[in-house]
Amino acid sequence: MNAPDFYETDRAVAEYLLFHYGTPSQILPWKSGPTDALEYPARCISECLDLSLLPSHARALDLGCAVGRSTFELARHCSEVVGIDYSHRFIEVARQLQQHGSIPYAYAEEGLLTTPATATVPAEIDRERVKFEQGNAQALRPDLSTFDVVLMANLVDRLPDPRRCLDSLPGLVRPGGQLILTTPCTWLEEYTARPQWLGGFEENGRPIRTLETLQAVLDPHFTLTRALDLPFLIREHARKFQWSVALATVWIRH
Ligand SMILES: C[S@@+](CC[C@H](N)C(=O)[O-])C[C@H]1O[C@@H](n2cnc3c(N)ncnc32)[C@H](O)[C@@H]1O
């Protein structure tokens, strides 16, 4: 299986439904553990979005939305939200959540043992504001128009050509609009050929970090207003977790 095909698997659907909609005790059934890493898809919005900059009837885009939790969270503040992901499976599941508000699934305990659960969109969120579509962040349909908020959570280091995606951002974010870009900077050749990495290598004996390249590419069109560390926790099974700390940056379109 190619690494990008992971996002079309049953395992990925279950892992991401738990990551996005699981309760703290479902995700982390232990007394110890990084509880501040829970609720990441909601914290990408609650900790990064500047509500004071939003116009009334704001329009938002969640690129690489997976099963859609951040897309729904954006709908607390924006009257129209589009979630786009390359995975057909993720979009199918996100659409069911949009239509029905909940979906049954089962998350991994150990080996083939699973626990049945229900992923539920918080009841107070107006799901009518949200639309999901399958698409490629590196070749978006030209008639998407522009947005007051664009979120790209943990996407850039999963793209074959992240610069191509970054180059489209000035055309997607309205002047005064916000770009929220988070990444754990996990550069892997399975997803991104080495020449396309934005950081994590040496050039002329100098270490190049992802933040430096993001600034070089985005600075002509955006002002970096905040950089913060956002921990997140993905449960693989009851006794195995991925604990990561994403670099979150917030940019305002000139
Ligand atoms: C690491 S996951 C992050 C998902 C979600 N934003 C989150 O924070 O939980 C990366 C996501 O990017 C999606 N993706 C990968 N390549 C893509 C592309 N070319 N266009 C749009 N989405 C893509 C994957 O299907 C997956 O849902």
Side-chain angles (χ1 to χ4, degrees):
M1 182 176 70
N2 286 330
D5 294 340
F6 171 67
Y7 296 113
E8 298 287 358
T9 63
D10 290 346
R11 182 183 145 193
V13 170
E15 263 183 33
Y16 273 81
L17 279 171
L18 184 64
F19 178 40
H20 282 204
Y21 300 96
T23 63
S25 62
Q26 286 174 329
I27 297 172
L28 188 62
W30 306 104
K31 283 200 188 100
S32 62
T35 50
D36 63 343
L38 297 168
E39 297 280 348
Y40 177 76
R43 283 187 295 113
C44 283
I45 309 307
S46 61
E47 295 190 25
C48 299
L49 185 65
D50 186 341
L51 300 181
S52 73
L53 297 179
L54 287 182
S56 49
H57 307 294
R59 194 166 183 253
L61 172 66
D62 181 4
L63 263 187
C65 62
V67 293
R69 176 64 186 274
S70 301
T71 323
F72 288 117
E73 291 296 322
L74 281 164
R76 291 183 191 272
H77 315 290
C78 303
S79 51
E80 185 190 346
V81 191
V82 181
I84 296 182
D85 199 279
Y86 196 61
S87 162
H88 291 84
R89 289 289 307 283
F90 279 179
I91 290 301
E92 196 183 295
V93 166
R95 281 183 173 155
Q96 286 186 40
L97 281 162
Q98 192 276 332
Q99 280 163 27
H100 307 297
S102 65
I103 189 173
Y105 73 109
Y107 60 83
E109 286 297 343
E110 173 185 332
L112 298 176
L113 302 178
T114 58
T115 295
T118 303
T120 305
V121 180
E124 65 277 16
I125 293 175
D126 181 356
R127 304 195 313 275
E128 291 299 310
R129 295 176 164 201
V130 172
K131 281 196 186 73
F132 291 102
E133 60 182 72
Q134 193 277 337
N136 184 351
Q138 299 179 155
L140 291 167
R141 60 180 170 86
D143 54 350
L144 263 182
S145 191
T146 56
F147 298 88
D148 303 291
V149 183
V150 173
L151 169 69
M152 289 170 59
N154 298 2
L155 174 67
V156 282
D157 56 356
R158 288 294 169 267
L159 295 175
D161 190 352
R163 270 174 198 264
R164 195 163 153 204
C165 179
L166 296 181
D167 287 343
S168 69
L169 293 172
L172 282 176
V173 185
R174 293 177 183 156
Q178 305 176 57
L179 166 67
I180 301 168
L181 194 159
T182 73
T183 172
C185 309
T186 306
W187 297 104
L188 293 169
E189 294 222 73
E190 295 99 285
Y191 291 95
T192 315
R194 167 63 194 84
Q196 314 305 329
W197 290 10
L198 301 183
F201 56 89
E202 285 196 355
E203 202 168 68
N204 304 321
R206 199 171 69 80
I208 305 294
R209 305 266 180 201
T210 304
L211 180 58
E212 179 183 342
T213 309
L214 287 176
Q215 282 186 287
V217 175
L218 295 175
D219 266 354
H221 309 279
F222 294 88
T223 303
L224 176 63
T225 56
R226 288 173 68 207
L228 59 159
D229 299 317
L230 280 190
F232 66 93
L233 189 70
I234 297 180
R235 167 174 158 153
E236 289 190 21
H237 61 75
R239 296 178 182 275
K240 185 165 185 240
F241 300 81
Q242 298 167 23
W243 178 75
S244 312
V245 181
L247 165 69
T249 51
V250 184
W251 310 75
I252 307 297
R253 178 80 168 96
H254 300 159

